[in-house]
Amino acid sequence: MEDKARMYQLNGVAHVAGNIDQEPTRVITCVRRQQNMPLHERIIPYLETADLYHLDRLISQWLWVNEPLLSAFVERWRPETHTFHMPFGECAITLQDVAYQLGLPIDGEAVSGCLTDFENLMDNRRPTWEWFRELFGELLPPNKVKQMTVHFTWFHERFWDLPADTSEETVRIHARAYIMMLLLSQLFADKNANRVHLRWLPYLALMDDLGRYSWGSAALAWLYRCLCHGTNRNVVNVAGPLQLLQSWIFWRFFSLRPCGFDVFEFPLASRWATYLPTTDAGDQRVVSSRLCLDRLRDRDFLWDPYSAPDVAAIVHPDILVEEHRRLWMAAMSLIYFVAIEWHQVDRVVPQFGGVQHLPQLALNIDWLHAKDGRGGDRWFSSYYQE
């Protein structure tokens, strides 16, 4: 419905879709990490306060991802529209999917701030490592630190055990470490697979306020950014909440769904907790996955999988609150620190039970896509306000 030259402007520049003939068996490697920290009973109230308890239920088992299948979907992702372009039209992962699949809040304040320069950009002007010692009880050995990141193993070694007679202040310290690892492993994983970034210090300093943030929109912003980055033909790794992408595929495309997963609970992504993809002949499986997507028709896509009675029977009631439902259909910005993406749901109205109209022209956010936090730290919520 829009000018093809503009809609597919990236094909001749760097989009992998313009390079498939040269690399027909290209498979993207999914960079993921597992938290592997035990959940002690006394930490659960802190997760509930932060609205992250549903997410934690997903990590009891490692959720494997089908890399050839995800690679085929990345090829059909368009950074110009933030939708997958399929033979039957456009479809997308939306805030509705985040709420149902991961059980995350989608309403609330933006997850933003600065990345490293807390001393100069925040009111209390506290040196970073002094703040770290106050929040986690001690300073790190030099071999566990690299710039503004901490090695995963330090958190495992330091916070694995929580004795039953521990004071409540020590429980809070353990809860900070657990939540930090949970966010980095399940929602905001990047390609530093074995390191934890310190951008979360201002959030962990105010543990009782964590529930006021829109974790769902931040996670979707990061997934969008990772997909946009992954479409570059020179990129070989992709990070982000890939369990959300895969669960969305299995729920929406029943012809791509693995057999034998008929029982599910909330959040819906837990349905695939025991899924184990085959690992042989990945180059041939990406060709097969690509062919499956080429043959898809409108009837192969479930436009409204969440209206089924068995889904309605288990969904958490907070998901169905009217103000949340209105946000599902809002075309707006999605914010995660320096990553600003766009929720262009006016292009996928049938996913909400409507009839597709002629959408607005896709926004050109190339300038925002070029921002990755390098070139000087800022208080991003103010810097990007306009």
Side-chain angles (χ1 to χ4, degrees):
M1 293 181 285
E2 298 184 41
D3 177 50
K4 264 193 170 183
R6 192 187 71 82
M7 181 61 64
Y8 298 107
Q9 59 175 320
L10 297 178
N11 277 16
V13 182
H15 199 289
V16 64
N19 203 51
I20 291 177
D21 290 341
Q22 287 72 42
E23 296 182 87
T25 58
R26 174 183 182 268
V27 178
I28 287 181
T29 300
C30 298
V31 179
R32 305 179 64 216
R33 58 177 76 146
Q34 180 73 334
Q35 184 188 31
N36 284 333
M37 289 181 68
L39 176 59
H40 301 284
E41 187 173 339
R42 294 179 67 183
I43 292 178
I44 293 178
Y46 293 96
L47 292 175
E48 293 174 334
T49 300
D51 276 340
L52 294 172
Y53 183 56
H54 291 307
L55 177 69
D56 184 80
R57 294 175 62 191
L58 294 175
I59 67 171
S60 59
Q61 293 178 283
W62 177 253
L63 297 179
W64 292 93
V65 295
N66 186 331
E67 291 183 342
L69 178 63
L70 299 193
S71 295
F73 270 84
V74 169
E75 294 169 359
R76 287 187 169 271
W77 178 259
R78 300 307 309 189
E80 300 94 335
T81 62
H82 293 102
T83 58
F84 295 102
H85 285 209
M86 295 295 181
F88 56 82
E90 296 180 43
C91 56
I93 307 171
T94 70
L95 289 173
Q96 180 194 35
D97 297 300
V98 176
Y100 276 93
Q101 297 293 337
L102 301 183
L104 291 173
I106 61 171
D107 195 9
E109 296 183 21
V111 178
S112 188
C114 62
L115 297 178
T116 57
D117 198 3
F118 309 119
E119 187 171 359
N120 294 318
L121 294 175
M122 296 191 68
D123 292 338
N124 55 17
R125 298 191 177 277
R126 193 174 313 182
T128 301
W129 295 108
E130 179 183 312
W131 205 1
F132 184 94
R133 178 170 56 185
E134 180 180 317
L135 294 176
F136 293 104
E138 63 185 75
L139 282 177
L140 296 129
N143 65 330
K144 298 295 184 181
V145 179
K146 183 178 181 181
Q147 295 178 338
M148 295 298 289
T149 63
V150 179
H151 204 284
F152 251 50
T153 56
W154 183 81
F155 285 94
H156 285 157
E157 295 164 0
R158 174 66 179 80
F159 299 107
W160 188 268
D161 294 319
L162 183 63
D165 58 350
T166 299
S167 68
E168 193 59 35
E169 181 53 37
T170 301
V171 174
R172 285 180 68 87
I173 293 175
H174 278 253
R176 290 188 189 109
Y178 191 93
I179 289 173
M180 194 173 191
M181 297 282 279
L182 179 67
L183 293 173
L184 266 293
S185 62
Q186 296 302 307
L187 296 182
F188 306 113
D190 55 30
K191 295 181 182 180
N192 290 320
N194 59 353
R195 295 195 167 273
V196 179
H197 199 280
L198 297 183
R199 69 185 65 182
W200 299 107
L201 292 186
Y203 289 84
L204 299 173
L206 301 171
M207 288 266 287
D208 295 335
D209 293 338
L210 288 178
R212 75 184 195 211
Y213 294 101
S214 177
W215 299 114
S217 65
L220 190 58
W222 185 234
L223 178 59
Y224 279 9
R225 176 57 60 92
C226 292
L227 289 173
C228 291
H229 187 61
T231 61
N232 189 303
R233 66 189 180 201
N234 299 312
V235 171
V236 296
N237 300 319
V238 65
L242 300 176
Q243 76 277 22
L244 169 60
L245 171 59
Q246 179 168 271
S247 185
W248 177 84
I249 293 171
F250 289 163
W251 272 93
R252 296 276 185 176
F253 297 86
F254 56 85
S255 62
L256 303 175
R257 183 183 301 172
C259 298
F261 293 87
D262 300 325
V263 178
F264 52 86
E265 56 185 16
F266 188 80
L268 300 186
S270 63
R271 180 177 185 176
W272 324 107
T274 58
Y275 169 68
L276 187 63
T278 59
T279 57
D280 58 320
D283 55 347
Q284 294 304 311
R285 286 194 294 128
V286 72
V287 174
S288 176
S289 297
R290 191 181 296 137
L291 183 60
C292 287
L293 300 192
D294 289 344
R295 293 174 172 173
L296 288 174
R297 296 296 177 263
D298 179 81
R299 62 180 180 274
D300 299 317
F301 184 74
L302 294 180
W303 292 99
D304 188 12
Y306 308 130
S307 62
D310 51 352
V311 174
I314 63 167
V315 68
H316 195 280
D318 287 349
I319 301 300
L320 303 176
V321 175
E322 183 58 32
E323 54 263 35
H324 294 173
R325 295 166 66 93
R326 287 197 296 268
L327 285 176
W328 298 346
M329 295 180 281
M332 59 185 178
S333 58
L334 302 169
I335 300 169
Y336 169 61
F337 287 95
V338 73
I340 315 293
E341 300 293 336
W342 209 257
H343 192 235
Q344 298 188 172
V345 290
D346 59 320
R347 310 185 69 88
V348 293
V349 177
Q351 289 185 210
F352 304 98
V355 177
Q356 183 62 54
H357 57 275
L358 187 66
Q360 297 290 325
L361 292 178
L363 292 175
N364 184 343
I365 59 171
D366 291 350
W367 182 81
L368 288 174
H369 276 159
K371 304 301 177 184
D372 59 4
R374 300 176 210 178
D377 199 12
R378 298 176 176 87
W379 194 258
F380 294 109
S381 53
S382 300
Y383 179 70
Y384 288 126
Q385 190 166 7
E386 297 180 4

